[in-house]
């Protein structure tokens, strides 16, 4: 597998403001010489073997789809034209220049391409606004308009609502005779899927909903990854739990509707359950607990929702076990 996106980014400052970074220059591939990180030669990973996409455990009647919420902003007539673009809106990566919408679309395209390589039999479902002009002409990609308020200030709240609407629609399909099992992984649209995540549903047979955790007191759960087992029971219980999270979101964290509110609400619902032991977040082992009638699988962020700790422009390579 060629990891063409694992580049070291050297951040170059703007002459008018030495402290403000306005573009990146691609350098040598990251990770060489660092223990427990992907070792690179040029742009190729030479010591990392991904999980086999064609595992004998895969059932022909089971599949995994990725679901993400995506909305374009500042797409008024003329936006993005040379006369309209401001220099402060432009980001240069290598030899390519991107305005704000172009930047977002480039990330979305990278998200889709990573899935095509790591899980070529998976579909990507993009939930967007009814009036969105988003058009993605790629194999195995479906754009699904959803009613709601996708404004920037309401996006995370709308994302949770969109997940619930989507699960409701899939539940109806099953109840009307769809026989194949389609599991769902809800993610941010700026992640890189570097390994086959379908094994989650094979390795952990008894869960309805999976989330990722980290040892962070204020934000122990990262809502950028939510997996749902595609059975009637799994979808029904996951939907019910997310509806509870949405209600808490509105009642307690409505002032964080643009960012973080969903993570805070999800953590509140889980940590407030009488039987839950929050000390388990300090360990790096997967575990299952029953939360409000749903079996929830907790997966460590270090493997299933990893974020480079080095900071922007200082990427030092990916740990070998990251999915």
């Amino acid at each position: 597998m060629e990891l063409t996106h694992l580049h070291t980014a050297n951040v170059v400052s703007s002459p008018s403001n030495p402290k403000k970074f306005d573009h990146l220059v691609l350098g040598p591939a990251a990770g060489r010489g660092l223990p427990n990180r992907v070792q690179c030669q040029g742009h190729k990973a030479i010591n990392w073997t991904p999980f086999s996409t064609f595992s004998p455990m895969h059932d022909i009647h089971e599949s995994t789809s990725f679901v993400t919420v995506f909305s374009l902003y500042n797409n008024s007539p003329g936006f993005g034209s040379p006369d309209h673009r401001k220099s402060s809106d432009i980001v240069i990566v290598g030899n390519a220049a991107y305005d704000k919408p172009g930047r977002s679309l480039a990330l979305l395209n990278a998200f889709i391409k990573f899935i095509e390589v790591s899980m070529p039999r998976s579909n990507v479902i993009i939930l967007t606004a009814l009036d969105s002009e988003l058009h993605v002409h790629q194999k195995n990609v479906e754009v699904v308009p959803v009613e709601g308020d996708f404004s920037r200030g309401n996006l995370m709240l709308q994302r949770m609502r969109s997940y619930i609407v989507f699960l409701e629609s899939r539940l109806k399909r099953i109840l009307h005779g769809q026989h194949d099992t389609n599991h769902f992984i809800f993610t941010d649209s700026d992640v890189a899927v570097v390994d086959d995540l379908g094994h989650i549903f094979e390795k952990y047979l008894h869960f309805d909903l999976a989330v990722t955790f980290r040892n962070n007191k204020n934000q122990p759960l990262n809502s950028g990854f939510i997996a749902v087992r595609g059975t009637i029971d799994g979808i029904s219980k996951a939907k019910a739990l997310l509806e509870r999270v949405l209600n808490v979101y509105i009642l307690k964290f409505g002032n964080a509707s643009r960012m973080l509110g969903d993570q805070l609400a999800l953590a509140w619902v889980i940590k407030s359950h009488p039987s839950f032991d929050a000390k388990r977040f300090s360990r790096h082992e997967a575990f299952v607990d029953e939360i409000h009638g749903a079996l929830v699988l907790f997966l460590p962020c270090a493997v299933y929702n990893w974020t480079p700790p080095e900071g922007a422009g200082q990427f030092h390579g990916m740990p070998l076990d990251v999915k």
Side-chain angles (χ1 to χ4, degrees):
M1 177 177 179
E2 196 169 43
L3 302 178
T4 57
H5 290 74
L6 296 184
H7 293 183
T8 299
N10 300 313
V11 184
V12 179
S13 59
S14 167
S16 60
N17 186 353
K19 294 183 179 180
K20 182 178 180 181
F21 303 126
D22 65 357
H23 65 282
L24 304 175
V25 178
L26 300 184
R32 281 179 288 186
L34 297 176
N36 301 319
R37 295 282 176 119
V38 174
Q39 301 300 304
C40 302
Q41 189 173 66
H43 295 158
K44 284 190 175 182
I46 58 177
N47 68 324
W48 182 67
T49 303
F51 184 89
S52 174
T53 303
F54 301 101
S55 164
M57 294 180 66
H58 278 298
D59 191 307
I60 194 171
H61 298 295
E62 293 193 11
S63 59
T64 302
S65 293
F66 287 84
V67 184
T68 192
V69 169
F70 184 87
S71 184
L72 277 176
Y73 300 102
N74 296 324
N75 55 347
S76 56
F79 187 87
S81 64
D83 295 335
H84 187 279
R85 296 187 297 183
K86 300 177 182 178
S87 59
S88 60
D89 291 336
I90 304 300
V91 170
I92 300 172
V93 181
N95 296 321
Y98 298 95
D99 58 14
K100 287 183 178 179
R103 200 155 69 224
S104 298
L105 288 171
L107 283 172
L108 180 66
N109 185 62
F111 168 75
I112 294 168
K113 291 297 184 183
F114 267 99
I115 293 171
E116 285 181 357
V117 173
S118 300
M119 299 179 64
R121 296 190 295 173
S122 294
N123 297 322
V124 177
I125 300 167
I126 304 171
L127 308 180
T128 191
L130 289 177
D131 59 351
S132 173
E133 297 183 1
L134 178 65
H135 303 287
V136 181
H137 303 291
Q138 296 193 44
K139 182 181 178 181
N140 297 331
V141 177
E142 180 183 3
V143 177
V144 178
V146 177
E147 186 175 359
D149 178 7
F150 283 80
S151 62
R152 191 187 298 273
N154 196 64
L155 188 58
M156 289 298 99
L157 189 61
Q158 179 58 45
R159 181 169 78 164
M160 186 63 65
R161 287 189 170 123
S162 299
Y163 287 174
I164 293 168
V165 169
F166 175 80
L167 290 174
E168 175 67 28
S169 69
R170 297 299 155 147
L171 188 59
K172 289 179 180 178
R173 287 192 186 187
I174 297 176
L175 294 175
H176 282 83
Q178 176 180 308
H179 300 296
D180 293 348
T181 300
N182 191 3
H183 307 300
F184 301 105
I185 298 178
F186 298 85
T187 74
D188 294 333
S189 58
D190 61 350
V191 302
V193 179
V194 297
D195 212 339
D196 188 340
L197 296 174
H199 77 279
I200 293 172
F201 302 98
E202 302 166 350
K203 182 177 180 180
Y204 305 100
L205 296 176
H206 304 292
F207 78 89
D208 303 306
L209 176 93
V211 296
T212 55
F213 72 92
R214 56 199 171 192
N215 189 19
N216 182 312
K217 183 178 179 180
N218 296 322
Q219 297 175 42
L221 298 171
N222 189 325
S223 58
F225 178 106
I226 299 175
V228 175
R229 189 175 296 280
T231 61
I232 291 178
D233 216 32
I235 294 176
S236 298
K237 292 181 178 180
K239 175 176 170 289
L241 186 62
L242 292 182
E243 286 174 335
R244 183 182 290 268
V245 172
L246 178 62
N247 289 333
V248 170
Y249 194 161
I250 294 170
L251 292 174
K252 292 183 174 293
F253 304 105
N255 60 340
S257 59
R258 177 172 178 174
M259 288 291 290
L260 301 180
D262 54 342
Q263 295 189 159
L264 297 173
L266 181 62
W268 191 95
V269 167
I270 288 174
K271 291 173 67 176
S272 64
H273 193 268
S275 66
F276 188 76
D277 181 7
K279 292 180 181 178
R280 303 184 78 172
F281 288 150
S282 63
R283 305 164 194 161
H284 294 286
E285 300 173 354
F287 64 95
V288 176
D289 205 341
E290 184 176 347
I291 308 293
H292 299 294
L295 285 177
V296 181
L297 169 64
F298 295 86
L299 297 167
C301 279
V303 176
Y304 292 97
N305 202 349
W306 178 72
T307 302
E310 295 88 3
Q314 300 296 319
F315 180 55
H316 291 160
M318 183 183 69
L320 294 173
D321 58 352
V322 166
K323 305 297 182 187

